[in-house]
Structures are given as C-alpha cells and as structure tokens.
Amino acid sequence: MPKLFTATVTRIDNHPDFSLADPAGELTFRFQGHQMRARRGETIASALFANGVKLFSRSFKYHRPRGLYACQGQGPETLVTVDHTPNQLADRVVVEEGMDVRTQNAWPSVHFDLMAPANFLVPLLPNGFYYKMFHKPRWAWPFFEKLLRRAAGLGKIDTTGRDVHARYEKCHKFPDVCIIGAGPAGLAATAAALEKGMRVLLVEENERLGGHCLHTVTKVEACQADSLNGLPEHEAVGRLITKLRSHDRLEVLLGTSAFGLYEDNLIAAQRGREFFKIRAQSVVLAPGADDRFLVFENNDKPGIMTARGVERLIALDAIRPGRRAVVVINYDGGYHTAKLLHGAGTQVAAVVDARPSASKSTPEEEVAALGISIHHGQTIHSASGWRGVRKVRLGSIDGQSPFGSIACDLVVLAVGYQPRLNLLSMGGRPPVWDLERQILRVRELPPAVYAAGEVNGHAPFSHLFREGWNAGEAAAMGETDPPSIRTKDEIIPALPADIASGGSNHFICKCMDVTRKEFLASIAEGFDQIETLKRYSGVGMGPCQGKTCHEVVARLAALDTGLEDSDALATTMRPPVSPVTFGVLAGRAHHLVSERRTAMHDWHARAGATFLNAGEWKRPHSYGDPAAEAEAVRKGLGIIDVSTLGKLGLRGPDVLDFLHFVLPGSYRKLREGRVRYKTIVGEDGVLFDDGTLSHLDPGEFYLTTTTGNHGAILSLFRWWLTTLNLKVHLTNLGPVYAAVNLSGPSARTFLQELVERDLSNEAFPYMSCGRTELSGVPVMLFRIGFTGELSYEVHFPSEFGESMWEFLMSRGKPYNLKPFGVEAQRILRLEKGHLLPGVDTDALSNPYEAGTAFTIREQKQDFVGKAFLADFKERGAENRLVPYQLSPTDPIPDDGVSVQDNGRLIGRVTSSRFSPALGRGVGLAWVLASYAEVGSRIQIQLADGRKVRGEVLAHGAYDPEGLQLKS
Amino acid sequence: MKNIPLLKRTPLSGIYEREGASCTQEAGWLIAKYFKDPAVERDALDRGALLADWSHIGKITLRGTGAADAAGEIDSRARSLPILQATGSGKIALLRLTVDEFLVLCLPGKEKETLRKVANRDVSVLNHHGGLGCLVLGGAKRDLVLERSCAMNLSRDLVGPGAVVQTSVHSINCTLYRTTNLEVLLHERDYSQSLFEALMDVGEEVGLIPTGIEVIPVGFHIGK
C-alpha cells in the first residue's frame, strides 16, 4: 500500500449496538492506478475510506486538501473522475468491479499539488481578483485568460469520444402519488397512500430505504404504528420496508435523485444514465435534512465530518471513521453519535456540548458512563493540521474565550439539522427563517404538493412517522397540506453562524472556496443583497448548489448587512438540485429527432446516394456526380424523387371561394385537366411558398407545396377553414402519394410507351394534368417541371413507391434513364432562373420584388395579404431578385456572398452554381432596383476577396423562350 | 400495353431486407411473416415485447357531418361510439377520432369492399393506401417500451382496451389504438422507419424484438 494512504481507518467486524450486515461479496477497483478491494454495494467514497484514503480532492480556488464530510453525495469534497467521466460524487456512486477512479483538480496529485501555494497567494489578492486584474496592459489579457481558464474549472471532460455510444434512457412515470425521500416520513406517507388505494412511486436518492433511521439505535416510542414501538429505529424502518416492498401498487426507484420540480407536478429525476419524467397527481416531499454546517477557523480540513456522515460509515459500511475523535454537539443526538463511535472502536476524546451544564439527560449519562469526558458551554474554535485534522481548539460559543486544545484525527459536528429545501422552494416560494424552529423553511407549497418529515424541522421517529402518514393521506385524498407542528423540546437551537474566534479561513461555501473574510469584503464593495452577493462571491453556485451552505449564507448575509435573523433569506433555488449530465438531458438522437424517408429511400441508399436534410426529410443530394446528372437531364432523360412535395386535396361546393381567399391568384378559369403555377403569401404580403394548383377532376383540386412548407400550409388552410363558413374538404395527401419527375428531351417518348393516354403536345400540352395507369397502378400525371426540360410528374400511391421506381428504371434502360438528386435539380433550376422560396427569398421578400407578381390578381375582392400587397405595389420595388450569368472564365461565387458597387453593398447572391450546359456560372441575386435592369453588370465579391462581374438577365440563361419546356 | 403487377411495399421493406426477415405476399403486399425465429418471437409474447408491421392493412378515413352515419353502415355500433373509442372485431375496427371523423381499419385488400358500404353517403372518404404506417406493439413487457417512448399517461386503468389516443411517440404524431393484447400505432408512413428504429432502440433494455404477421396476425378484436 502506498504511503499516501493512512492506516487509521479500518473495517469493523461488529458493533455493540448494531448487527452489521454481512458484506455482499468483494470486488476490486483502481484508485490512482492502485488496485483496491471494496465491498459490493458500497460507495466509492466508503471503499476508499476503508482503504485508508482520507484525502479525496483539492478545493476549487485555493487547492486546499479536502476529505470526506457528509457521505451523502452532495458536497464538492468527493468529486472524482470515474472511468474518464469527471465530477462524479464518490459518496453517491456505487463502486463497481474494475472501476478506474482518479482524483481531480490537483497536479500531479492531491497529496503533492503544485497549485497548493494558491492557498497562500490568492488571499493576498483583492477580493474578486479574477474580475479586476490582468486586463492591463491589454496585450497581457489573452495570456492570462488562457492561464485562468486552465486553472479554473473542475475535472477534465473526456473528449476522446470514448462514451459516444453510451446509452442514455428516458422514461415517463405517472403515479397517483410520488414520494421523494424514504426516511420515516416518506415511508409512512407511502404506506398511507397505498392504504388509500393509490399507485405510489417512491424515489430515494440512496441505494437503501430508511434514511437516517438506518443508523439510529434510539428506540421508537409512542408511534401510531404500535408494532414499531420499542424497536430501535433501524429495525423499525426495516420492518416498514419489508411490509411495503411486496406491494403491487408501489414502485421504488433507488439511487435516484429528484433534481427538479416543475409545473403540474412534473418531477425530473436521474438514476445513472436514466432520466425519469414523473408526472404525479400529488407529490409528497420528504427529502429530510442534513447536518448543519458550522463555520469556524479551518472548518474545511479533512477529518471534519458530520454526525450522520460518521454514523453512515459505521452502521452501513462497517468502517471505523477515525482513531481519536472530538464530538462537537448542541443537542442530545450528539451523544448518540459519540456512543456509536465508541462502539466502533474510535477513542472519543471529548464531547463538547455547547449547552450549559444542566441536569443530565439519559444519553449524556450513557456516554459519561463510557468514560468519555464532556465539556459543557464550549464549542470548537479552530482545527489545525497539514493534510488533516491533528488538533482542535475549544472555547466559548461567542468565539472570544479559548479554553484549551485536544489532539484528534476526527472532528464530528452534531449541531442540528438544516432541511433540504431545494425541491420545496421550486414552487416559487423562497425559504424564510423560522425564528421558533431556528431553521429556514418553505411554508407555502403549490397545490397538490406536500411536505413531511425533517424538512419541516427535527423531530423524533414517531412524530416524523405521523407527519408523513398525514401527508400521504392528504396527498391521496387531494386534501390540503396538513399543518406541521414542532414542540419546544424538538427544536435544536442554532449556534452562531460563524464561531468568530479569529483567523481568516472560516469557510462559508466549500464548493466555491468562499471565506467569511471575502464575504465581508464583497458586502463592503456594495454587493449587499443576497442575490448579488451570490453572483459576485460565488457562494452557493458550486456542485452542491448551496445544499451545505444555504443556511449559513442566509444568516451571515443578514448579520453582516445589519439585519436580524428573521430577515435571513436564502438565495433562489433552481433546478437541477444535483449535478446532471448533458447526456441524461439530451438522451439519444432517436428521442429528439425523427426522420422522414420517402417510399424510394432504400433504393436511393442502395444506389449510393448521399442524403441531405430537408427539414425532417432525407433527400438524395446526388448519386455521385451532380454535374453529370444535370447533363443527363439536358441531353437524355433523368428521374428525381419528388415525394417530399406537400400534396393537398381540395374539393367541395365552395372550393373555388376558398382558393380565391387563401391564394393571391385567380383560378375560376382554370379548366379541368389544367395546371397553374401559384404562390402563397402571408397576411403580411410576404412571399411564403410556391407550387402548382391542378384542376384534376370536376370540382377537385390538387395543390402542391414546397417540401419545407407543407405542414405550415396545411395548418394555415385548416385554420382558415375553421373561421370561414365554407364547405370545403381539405385532405392531406402528402404521405398518401409518392411522386417522381421524369425530365429530359426523351421524356415523352419514354413515358408514352408505358401509358395508354396520348401524351402528344396537342393532346397533353405544357401545364396539363390527368389520370392514367402505369403498369396497372392508377397514377396522376402532370406536365410540369422545375428543370426547364420537357417533364412529366407522376404521382401514385406510396406503397408502390419503390416498385414503381424500379419499374421505371428498368424500362428506362434503353433511354439511359439516370436518377438525379437535389443538387442537380438546383443546377438545372438556376440555369432556368427559377427561384426557391425560403432559399432565394426571406421574411421580407414580396412578390413584386421577387418577380412573381404575375401570380397575383389584385382586383379580387378580398384575399390573404391583399392590403399589404397593395401597399408593396404602391411603394414600388426597392430591390429585385434577378437571374445573372458570369463569363465562362469566372470562378463560381458561394451562396450568400455580397453584391457591391465600388465597395458599396447593393445586394447578395442567394443561389449560385456552375452550369455544365452553359459552361459558366449562373445564379440568382437580390440587388437594388436601380441595378436590376436587364444587361446591367453587377459586381460579386467572392469569399476570398476576388471580384467577378455578372450580367443581369431577363430570364434564365438556359432556353429563355421555354422552347424545350413546351416542346 | 403489358402490365407488370407491381408489388406493394411497406415503409419497413428496407428493414426487412437488412434484418433478413422472412416475408410473404398478402393482398399484393410484401409483408414480414417473422424476423429470425418464430418460436422465439412467440415466446416473447409471454415474456418480452414484440414489434410487428401491419402497414398493409386497409386504412380509410371518413370525415364530415355524415361520418357517424357512414361508419354506422360498416358497424352499427359506430353511430353511438364515444370520441376516442373504438369498436373492433376480427376483420374491422372503427376508431372515432372526433365527432365527425372516423378511421376505419380493415383486413388487407378489403378496402374496396369497405368503401362500397359508404359509397352513397355524404361524407369525405380518404383511402390512405400506404400513406399510413402501422406498427403493432405486443408482449407482456410492452408497457415498459411505451413508458420510454411516450410522454402520455397510458396506464391501463385510464386507457383501457378499445381506447384511442392521439399522442406523440418519439416526437412522431401517432394514433394509438389499444386492444387487450396490442398497441396499434398508426402514423404517416414517412416516419415509419424512424419510429421503428426508435422503438427498437429503447426496447433493447426490455428485450423488444421485431416480428411479423405469423406471430401477430392481423385482427382487430378489442378483447376483454
């Protein structure tokens, strides 16, 4: 065993007050490269402690040594890196076979940390130095910034991608009653809610049910559950648990941390890599309480622990926590801890009781009978020692009168409890100081949220049980939260928030290394409100999120700003209560993003297509060579999957009225069998979408939209139909039909071989539509296209998608039919000068400027966007979207580059590609109207600074007369 | 002009191929009989969870003020069916989605027969063809898959057999029809592969395996 591990901590085989559980087997793990043994089921911290490790980490700012404190999985002391994952709480994570555990925030090791001089140097710097220094001279800041960033932070994220395939689960739960915390109150609430017939979910952050009772030997008295009276508390909860466990309406989540409570009783909870979203009708919060945090000189030394922390080590993990202990107390419960320590073989050097000497209570008498010396009217003033406590000084409670010192390696603080208020406070009510109970409390809770147990203040088992039972019943019955009562003898008075005995290492917040001295300096600088104080000094902003320090911070903030205890306010408590990884919140991709695939997707994938994301859709970008694909369309025959187009069916007696209202064009003269290009504008007159409207059958229209706007237009149309008194049947046919576009000079000849319908130009001219059959499948045929070539769009039931595609590909072999993707289509449409809404237009583009005014019939009585369109027309075009072409030798600009005139910005390129057919660059650009004249030369600045000149065209550069299209 | 009969494919046909599913033809559809071992898959009905593809069933929407009467021509119980409830038999199920909208599910290839029954009614009829995907979740542990997939409370005392729920499953809008033994998930077919993969992914923890119509044959009995 290396020297850095002490030999003062050992396992114990038996205890006079407990039957220690038999170990559930052993395992091995590694700590700093050293192999160690552990008991199955215990935490990493317990395993390390049992192996003699007392120094766990170095503090955030001063790099002071830190050791085990509360064994409760909260504080910063136990943050370690486990299997390359940083910031794991060693007193929360259960040790597993083969685990690799490493310390963090220290170099080269926690025992010899080269950053340790910060403990002496940083206090010499001004308060909040990291905000104030290193900015001058200016050139120095980048250097210091790197240095500070390197020094700051906790742990190192593993960027190797080792965990990239880790499974993160999300799960939804819907209990009638959700109970957080499985101490005596939580267990009683569970029993009561079950008795009322509820389905109960019990959430416990530890791996064992029972809470603090698991390590309490005090006998239960006067409990309403008669069978528990006379039993030690650990046996009483054991009996309760046995009774509950087999209940079929109870689900228990162990090792699960509830880290947020949101509206409508939504609870967020985490267990390892699992994320639970719990929506309960009622919630009972019984999270319990933690030992109070006591501020004194060097109160952060390793070896200073809470009473419940050492009790857990003894009773649950069979560990003797130290060799010689001083127990600092202010209530009788501290004698219980002293007794347990004594039974575990720790020499209890003294019990230091802050209360004045009075008639001896039974616990005190029991401890005195063990030969342990008891000092009344005193408390701890300071601790000293290099890497751990070696000696404590005692004195008066006001910190003024020292009485003497005692050598020890363990200081146990049993000075009362502070409720865990984080979840309670998320109902929107801040905790306030309860003068009577001497604790911070949240008195008002949202409807259907109940609080029970030590979260309302310390009380004996029977009282906690009764309060839990009442809360469980009320939660089950939907009644109001029963009032919480504490008797005078149950209240543990608070010691002074800081034992002001001198010295500068009175740590208020151990997570962020904030001392009382810094706290006072921050107030002196004007940060005298609790929230600003928190932000400036960092108190309560560390890994424990104030769970350890919130009471002390609230009390000292009041004291140091001249307020009374009754004015003590805690800082706002927000989720997450405990650290949550991004992996847990994000889950896996499947949980977040759904994908849409066309009926021909698998064929495209087999053909080697690369895909692009078009919204949720996966569309073939290309099959390897977009330029060759475009060329195939120009010279022969191409086929593209256009199933992603939005498709809507409209019919009914008022369908034309509806179309006339929602679209800006006129369609009363659109004959059956004819198609018209249409645009859609918003109520603001802005160009929103385009597509076609086909009069397919008498009174039946078929409308297509762009891929991305299908959902929005469907919703828009449905919305208008709920407000307009029109008889129209609107049907979403998007998923019903797959669609392909056959494009190229050979399109007619090829398709005519497959359909009986006459496709001659006379019988089926440009912008025609009709129904026919293709290999026995009923299809809709449209003579339209986006490529500028002779094109036919075929829509057919989507279940035939892949078969139809294969059929066409097979029959197209003699025509050298080639599939083409979105990239080739983009080249082809830019050669033709066709715009794409959303790509070439934005939220300010109106149809007059975009060149689609021909789709508007302004004379119509009323239609969506009419008023704004009239205004746009009256104002005239300020900008115009124009097609342009470059010289054959010019390089191709990127999409989005600027258009300039002698350095003055006059527009931007929206789409730009090289045209294989024309041998030059073509594109679309927005320019000021004065530069939009046909034949104008516009200067386009490339991304690398070079400039090219484009010629503004009236129409697309390819086939401007549309002869191919109409051939 | 010579017609070559084209095969109807479900949106999961690529997954059939990838997973080596054993397929059959039914009513012109290529559909999975089982994936790996029908005995293992049958066993999962009692001990685990199963996911099957029923996308080949007939799916017809009746919409409009006459929808209830039209649905009543198919099954007289439909006229008084509460919203978000279903009637089901072995061959046909009627799901009432709103006051005037029904989704009719029928055996594969029986769409025309069903459509004939509502031919003269004043109602908007949409034969979805393959436009709707249909996945079916079965097996004793299927609830564990659902609670990892759906943010809605689907506990059986609230959502009993015969209930219809409109919800999102892995962010995909679905109509869920619950029978005693199955959860029928209807959704736009374009999402089918994505939904299948997401369900299989979260179901890995509880032993979810894919299967076909030999293990979970098409039938719409609500059960007890």
Side-chain angles (χ1 to χ4, degrees), chain B residues 6-118:
Chain B
L6 298 184
L7 203 55
K8 297 176 187 176
R9 287 184 170 132
T10 79
L12 298 192
S13 59
I15 288 173
Y16 295 169
E17 201 169 314
R18 191 182 73 200
E19 301 290 329
S22 179
C23 295
T24 186
Q25 282 192 37
E26 190 172 323
W29 289 80
L30 182 75
I31 191 80
K33 277 199 297 181
Y34 54 86
F35 271 66
K36 300 277 190 236
D37 180 345
V40 171
E41 290 164 26
R42 273 192 204 97
D43 189 52
L45 270 177
D46 297 325
R47 296 160 197 250
L50 287 166
L51 189 59
D53 181 13
W54 278 9
S55 297
H56 64 318
I57 62 170
K59 292 144 291 194
I60 297 161
T61 290
L62 307 174
R63 190 182 292 138
T65 49
D69 284 338
E73 294 295 320
I74 300 167
D75 183 335
S76 58
R77 292 173 296 174
R79 288 194 180 91
S80 55
L81 196 61
I83 293 168
L84 296 179
Q85 285 291 316
T87 64
S89 65
K91 295 179 178 176
I92 208 155
L94 280 97
L95 285 56
R96 188 163 202 170
L97 304 183
T98 65
V99 174
D100 54 8
E101 185 176 351
F102 285 78
L103 180 60
V104 185
L105 309 179
C106 62
L107 294 177
K110 298 294 180 188
E111 295 93 328
K112 281 184 185 168
E113 193 181 305
T114 308
L115 286 168
R116 270 199 296 276
K117 292 180 181 173
V118 296

Side-chain angles (χ1 to χ4, degrees), chain A residues 378-391:
Chain A
Q378 297 184 32
T379 192
I380 186 167
H381 276 198
S382 67
S384 57
W386 180 236
R387 288 187 187 129
V389 176
R390 290 288 171 268
K391 189 169 69 177

Side-chain angles (χ1 to χ4, degrees), chain A residues 139-392:
Chain A
W139 56 262
W141 172 242
F143 168 75
F144 283 111
E145 187 186 15
K146 275 184 192 165
L147 203 68
L148 287 170
R149 284 191 186 282
R150 185 177 282 256
L154 289 169
K156 279 187 182 166
I157 293 172
D158 178 16
T159 54
T160 60
R162 200 180 269 111
D163 274 347
V164 82
H165 298 297
R167 284 185 66 87
Y168 289 93
E169 301 291 345
K170 275 188 188 174
C171 190
H172 301 268
K173 302 273 181 195
F174 302 93
D176 296 324
V177 181
C178 179
I179 293 162
I180 314 284
L187 291 171
T190 303
L194 287 170
E195 198 173 281
K196 292 288 177 190
M198 298 290 110
R199 288 176 299 109
V200 179
L201 179 67
L202 179 59
V203 181
E204 168 56 43
E205 66 179 357
N206 293 304
E207 293 294 337
R208 284 174 264 206
L209 300 174
H212 70 272
C213 295
L214 287 172
H215 44 81
T216 306
V217 296
T218 310
K219 288 190 173 159
V220 175
E221 290 174 1
C223 182
Q224 67 189 78
D226 269 345
S227 61
L228 305 181
N229 285 324
L231 296 173
E233 288 185 19
H234 65 96
E235 284 184 26
V237 290
R239 191 170 286 188
L240 259 178
I241 292 161
T242 307
K243 195 175 167 191
L244 292 173
R245 267 225 163 110
S246 55
H247 207 293
D248 59 357
R249 276 184 277 107
L250 173 64
E251 186 178 0
V252 179
L253 295 177
L254 287 175
T256 305
S257 165
F259 63 81
L261 174 62
Y262 304 87
E263 289 84 355
D264 299 326
N265 293 347
L266 174 66
I267 297 153
Q270 175 190 12
R271 178 173 67 190
R273 285 180 174 149
E274 289 176 287
F275 180 18
F276 298 99
K277 293 181 178 179
I278 302 161
R279 183 82 69 174
Q281 287 176 29
S282 306
V283 180
V284 179
L285 299 172
D290 296 308
D291 286 272
R292 276 188 181 127
F293 182 50
L294 191 61
V295 180
F296 55 91
E297 174 66 2
N298 289 328
N299 59 333
D300 65 329
K301 291 275 181 198
I304 297 173
M305 295 184 68
T306 66
R308 284 186 174 169
V310 296
E311 289 184 5
R312 282 184 198 107
L313 286 179
I314 296 166
L316 305 182
D317 298 318
I319 293 171
R320 189 186 75 180
R323 197 171 45 193
R324 184 176 160 85
V326 169
V327 185
V328 179
I329 73 168
N330 71 337
Y331 79 113
D332 277 349
Y335 291 110
H336 175 270
T337 313
K339 204 174 150 203
L340 291 192
L341 278 165
H342 180 82
T346 298
Q347 181 193 353
V348 182
V351 174
V352 184
D353 191 339
R355 296 171 297 179
S357 182
S359 58
K360 283 189 173 137
S361 62
T362 309
E364 184 178 346
E365 281 177 350
E366 286 173 6
V367 168
L370 296 171
I372 297 170
S373 63
I374 299 167
H375 304 269
H376 277 286
Q378 297 184 32
T379 192
I380 186 167
H381 276 198
S382 67
S384 57
W386 180 236
R387 288 187 187 129
V389 176
R390 290 288 171 268
K391 189 169 69 177
V392 292

Side-chain angles (χ1 to χ4, degrees), chain A residues 427-496:
Chain A
R429 303 288 179 192
V432 291
W433 185 252
D434 185 325
L435 269 178
E436 191 187 332
R437 296 190 192 182
Q438 298 274 286
I439 52 171
L440 283 167
R441 281 185 69 204
V442 176
R443 290 165 186 264
E444 286 182 71
L445 293 170
V449 177
Y450 305 81
E454 283 196 329
V455 78
N456 288 327
H458 172 70
F461 184 98
S462 56
H463 191 156
L464 299 175
F465 186 95
R466 185 171 68 244
E467 197 169 88
W469 185 275
N470 292 343
E473 270 191 341
M477 305 302 287
E479 294 166 353
T480 52
D481 195 11
S484 158
I485 297 161
R486 291 292 179 273
T487 58
K488 201 174 176 184
D489 59 333
E490 290 170 346
I491 290 163
I492 306 170
L495 287 174

Side-chain angles (χ1 to χ4, degrees), chain A residues 622-800:
Chain A
S622 82
Y623 299 84
D625 187 349
E629 290 164 27
E631 201 169 357
V633 173
R634 290 278 177 250
K635 292 183 177 170
L637 184 59
I639 182 170
I640 183 170
D641 179 357
V642 290
S643 303
T644 59
L645 288 173
K647 307 168 205 88
L648 302 177
L650 294 129
R651 67 181 182 85
D654 299 328
V655 66
L656 273 173
D657 289 341
F658 178 71
L659 289 170
H660 269 238
F661 181 75
V662 292
L663 304 178
S666 176
Y667 309 100
R668 295 202 191 279
K669 292 181 183 170
L670 182 63
R671 285 181 289 116
E672 189 188 330
R674 295 296 292 166
V675 183
R676 191 168 293 171
Y677 174 74
K678 60 101 184 78
T679 57
I680 300 181
V681 298
E683 287 180 77
D684 54 4
V686 167
L687 180 62
F688 175 46
D689 196 65
D690 72 353
T692 59
L693 180 71
S694 305
H695 194 167
L696 206 54
D697 296 310
E700 288 198 21
F701 291 84
Y702 188 75
L703 181 142
T704 61
T705 73
T706 57
T707 299
N709 285 329
H710 176 214
I713 289 168
L714 179 63
S715 300
L716 192 72
F717 281 11
R718 280 180 175 158
W719 190 84
W720 279 118
L721 277 175
T722 60
T723 59
L724 301 169
N725 187 24
L726 296 174
K727 286 187 178 172
V728 176
H729 291 291
L730 169 67
T731 314
N732 175 17
L733 298 172
V736 178
Y737 295 112
V740 298
N741 194 291
L742 289 155
S743 191
S746 312
R748 179 181 295 118
T749 321
F750 166 63
L751 202 55
Q752 189 65 79
E753 285 182 9
L754 307 177
V755 299
E756 287 183 356
R757 184 180 189 121
D758 182 1
L759 297 183
S760 67
N761 215 11
E762 295 72 32
F764 202 70
Y766 180 57
M767 299 302 266
S768 293
C769 64
R771 294 184 189 273
T772 185
E773 276 196 1
L774 195 51
S775 197
V777 175
V779 304
M780 293 176 282
L781 203 58
F782 307 86
R783 202 185 142 185
I784 54 174
F786 202 34
T787 64
E789 293 296 337
L790 171 64
S791 302
Y792 295 88
E793 205 157 282
V794 189
H795 292 219
F796 50 94
S798 50
E799 63 267 33
F800 291 107

Side-chain angles (χ1 to χ4, degrees), chain A residues 32 58 63 103-117 150 156:
Chain A
Q32 298 291 89
R58 288 277 172 168
H63 286 253
T103 57
Q104 55 185 47
N105 207 37
W107 191 84
S109 76
V110 288
H111 286 82
F112 179 71
D113 179 15
L114 285 176
M115 289 293 282
R150 185 177 282 256
K156 279 187 182 166

